[in-house]
Amino acid sequence: MTTPASPSAPKLLDRIAGPADVKALAPEQLPQLAQEIRDEIIAVTARNGGHVGPNLGVVELTIALHRVFQTPEDQFVFDVAHQGYVHKLLTGRQGEFFRKLRKTGGTSGFLYRKESPHDSFGAGHAGTALSAALGMATARDLRGSHEHVVAVCGDAAFTCGVTLEALNNVVSSTKRLIVILNDNEWSIAKNVGAIAKYLNRISTSETYNKLHHEVEAFFKSFPMGVEMNRTYMKWKRETKDFFVESSLFEKFGLRYLGPVDGHNLEALTKNLDFAKHCDVPVIIHVLTNKGRGLEAAIAFPEKFHGAGPYDAVTGEHAKAAAGTPPNYQDVFGQALTRFAKANPKVLGITGAMPSGTGLTVLAREVPGQFFDVGIAEEHAVLFAAGLATKGFRPVCAIYSTFLQRAYDQLIHDVALQNLPVTFCLDRAGLSANDGPTHHGLFDIAYLRCIPGIVGMQPKDEDELTDMLHTALQLPSPAFIRYPRGPGTGAKIKAQPATLAVGQAELLREGSNIMIWALGPMVQEAQKIAGRLAAEDGLSVGVVNARFFKPLDRTLLLSHAACLPLLVTMEDHVAAGGFGSAVLEALQEADCPTPVERIGWPDRFVEHGTSVEVLRAAYGLAPDDIVRRIKDRYKRLGKAAVEAEV
Ligand SMILES: Cc1ncc(C[n+]2csc(CCOP(=O)(O)OP(=O)(O)O)c2C)c(N)n1
């Protein structure tokens, strides 16, 4: 385990109100600061959960960045921004605010422009830093100002197409950009693909490194100056390919520095300082150890990438309470593995999220039918489309929020060609402690306008299995959305059922109001129906809608024809969601029955302590929903009486 800083020693971290205080420290004080930061990150993430490994790995790098540059005048753009805790601690966000990390009222788990002027660009999705930084650097050049722009990218950012698109444009856009390649060899799981192999080769190639370091040390020993830089660059261009192949990045026109030991403050500071004076774009290849300072995080990098609460001493994770039902993701993973074993044409595809999507079991048990394509959602979807043209049944398991990135591929490559690809959208609904970058609140709206697709959401884990079984038999693209966290505890049948597409399930009859609910809202609707009956004597029915496309219009219109009020409930934004689909269906049938749509409001939902806390904060607590339904029903009654008078 880590050796904590002595509790009696005055804390340096307490004195850091901003980057100027980091600069004021003597070099020999920096290891103590680094240790205090690690202690704080471990103490807070052990309680709240969070991105443990990524942050413990960048402590020295972030200190060095703040020693050499001056935010907010200079700009750091952190890719994903999940490794921004150290930056937060050095930019005035330590103390109570940091200790409430990812909780309501505390600091976000990511960087956020709203949160601090030191957060130059918000993120949560991967691969955006290089493009955004390039835009900032180009804006600086156009304005004629002189600040520095530094993009901090993980090695897995280079599995993202958008990072490579930006790389392709660097030299044509600016002469001054600093890119840090924070190479720890891990994405969430072990990094995949040819670039990861290439990085590993250049960071371990003795010939490359020896030559590189010796030549660089020779030139860096001269006083810094543009002329010397130019000479070095020229020399490198003209000679290096004779000795060893020049780095991939040099072929893109960036000057490559490194590999640098990412835990050596002196080496980091020297290289950053050197880069600061370069008149060409520079990439510094920094080697870091994900999880450094916490043995368990080093031993289990995947588990500690983004961890729930754990024991700070043993590294043991808090166990779910006995009897907690399995998570939806695990039920999905088990079901897909079972179907893949039965049918070799069934394939599972993930974009760098084997454990998060539950596909680890498929990877382990049927490795030949499992593909991790890296953080490359666009490619995942296109790859699946290609597989489907040859009779395979690919299943793309992608979080709802990350599928946003592959929208054109969904329409142009899958739906337009009516290819039978199944999409399993995990984290549909809130990802409470992650916040707005991770909530899956938009997928129904962005999917239901695509012609020919089937869109569904199960009320429980047994229905999830039925839906996957059904989707794998359809001749068209199918989408199944389900939430983060545990299911309802429903028993999974031995033999899955094939569902009739577009057929809802009537769960409870009602003569006053009918609630059409989707997914986890079905259980909620049943409780609310019970309350309305008990509190107001209302007869409220409940339908498990199952499909948001196609809708069960026959059942819907039959309810609309004989009831004064319909209610829709969904874990999705109200705008354009399932309730909107219901409204459209009624309007097209000239049916004037009012619909009370319960869904998330037209605002970005912040991070918060739990789903319950956020529902209450956004007017969606059970009491709020009951009140809204009662009010609407009363208003309708009054309007009806007035109309008769
Ligand atoms: C578009 C998108 N897909 C997937 C993810 C999930 N994700 C978060 S961090 C991460 C790995 C990042 O690895 P790297 O950039 O190397 O940084 P490290 O955590 O290793 O420091 C992934 C896959 C994401 N944030 N965005």
Side-chain angles (χ1 to χ4, degrees), residues 82 124-126 154-156 184 186-187 290 305 353 375 377 402:
H82 62 316
H125 290 200
D155 48 307
N184 55 28
W186 286 81
S187 179
K290 202 163 179 170
H305 171 88
M353 312 284 291
I375 314 175
E377 289 79 6
F402 300 144

Side-chain angles (χ1 to χ4, degrees), residues 120-168:
S120 66
F121 205 75
H125 290 200
T128 62
L130 192 50
S131 277
L134 192 52
M136 288 177 185
T138 306
R140 171 204 58 210
D141 300 346
L142 290 170
R143 290 193 322 189
S145 54
H146 299 286
E147 68 275 13
H148 296 279
V149 180
V150 184
V152 182
C153 305
D155 48 307
F158 289 84
T159 64
C160 299
V162 63
T163 301
L164 300 180
E165 289 168 31
L167 189 63
N168 192 39

Side-chain angles (χ1 to χ4, degrees), residues 51 53-55 58 79-80 82-83 110 124-127 153-158 160 182-189 191 288 290 305 351-353 374-377 398-399 401-403 405 438:
H51 286 103
N55 282 286
V58 297
D79 203 72
V80 194
H82 62 316
Q83 76 291 58
F110 299 91
H125 290 200
C153 305
D155 48 307
F158 289 84
C160 299
N182 169 29
D183 184 0
N184 55 28
E185 297 181 23
W186 286 81
S187 179
I188 292 179
N191 202 8
T288 59
K290 202 163 179 170
H305 171 88
M353 312 284 291
I375 314 175
E377 289 79 6
I398 300 180
Y399 287 9
T401 187
F402 300 144
L403 191 61
R405 186 161 283 187
H438 281 58

